[in-house]
Amino acid sequence: GNSVTQMEGPVTLSEEAFLTINCTYTATGYPSLFWYVQYPGEGLQLLLKATKADDKGSNKGFEATYRKETTSFHLEKGSVQVSDSAVYFCALTPNRDDKIIFGKGTRLHILP
Amino acid sequence: DAGVIQSPRHEVTEMGQEVTLRCKPISGHDYLFWYRQTMMRGLELLIYFNNNVPIDDSGMPEDRFSAKMPNASFSTLKIQPSEPRDSAVYFCASSSRARPDTQYFGPGTRLTVL
């Protein structure tokens, strides 16, 4: 079946630290991959996406590369800010399906 | 341009009462999704609609839950009777046919059942 596994949180970092949140997936066919972010008290919003192997999605200083050989889509940012504190969800849609399959989310705390 | 609108934002009710959550999707969107989020279970898809027709309700936990979409601009999620274990944040999301893989979420309704 289709599923997403991401590292458990919470992840706590100091401001300006390097961030990696690991995500691996299991899917049939060629899924599209996403990172969504949920800020406190809000709904989820799309952060970035990649639709085919070796694509790199990027937004707000965050990046993730679609690695088919390792079935991974790790989220990275070179220098985090306090405002990046949120819950991050890795997700996929199999073959442009209607539904999105979300991981369990990783809570990120950035200390000033 | 208005995003997805949900009401109420907070609801506190007593066990056994009927609860109705409301959602207005983004105008022109074809898909509407209802999710439930709890600390224990994370984000769960309950049901989704395409052009007002329910497509997949396999995530609806039991018969106490029902959802309707009478027109393209309005949907309801009803719980009757409510139980304390229904306490959660309920999100509505919508997406367009042109980009079905990008969902836009509402701010959520925080439900507390006492």
Side-chain angles (χ1 to χ4, degrees), chain A residues 32 34 36 38 41-44 46 49 89 93 96 98-100 102 104 107, chain B residues 9 31 33 35 37 43 45 48 56 91 98-103 105-107:
Chain A
S32 294
F34 310 86
Y36 276 75
Q38 182 181 26
E42 299 182 10
L44 282 70
L46 179 65
K49 73 175 187 181
F89 293 86
T93 57
R96 279 181 64 86
D98 304 338
K99 294 191 297 187
I100 296 179
F102 288 93
K104 292 189 180 299
R107 186 174 297 276
Chain B
R9 292 295 309 275
Y31 294 90
F33 304 81
Y35 292 89
Q37 185 178 40
L43 191 66
L45 176 64
Y48 79 97
D56 184 351
F91 289 102
R99 295 182 62 187
D101 56 2
T102 300
Q103 294 183 13
F105 281 71

Side-chain angles (χ1 to χ4, degrees), chain A residues 4 6 23-24 34-36 73 88-92 101-103 105:
Chain A
V4 174
Q6 58 183 110
C23 171
T24 57
F34 310 86
W35 279 97
Y36 276 75
F73 193 56
Y88 292 82
F89 293 86
C90 187
L92 67 83
I101 296 168
F102 288 93

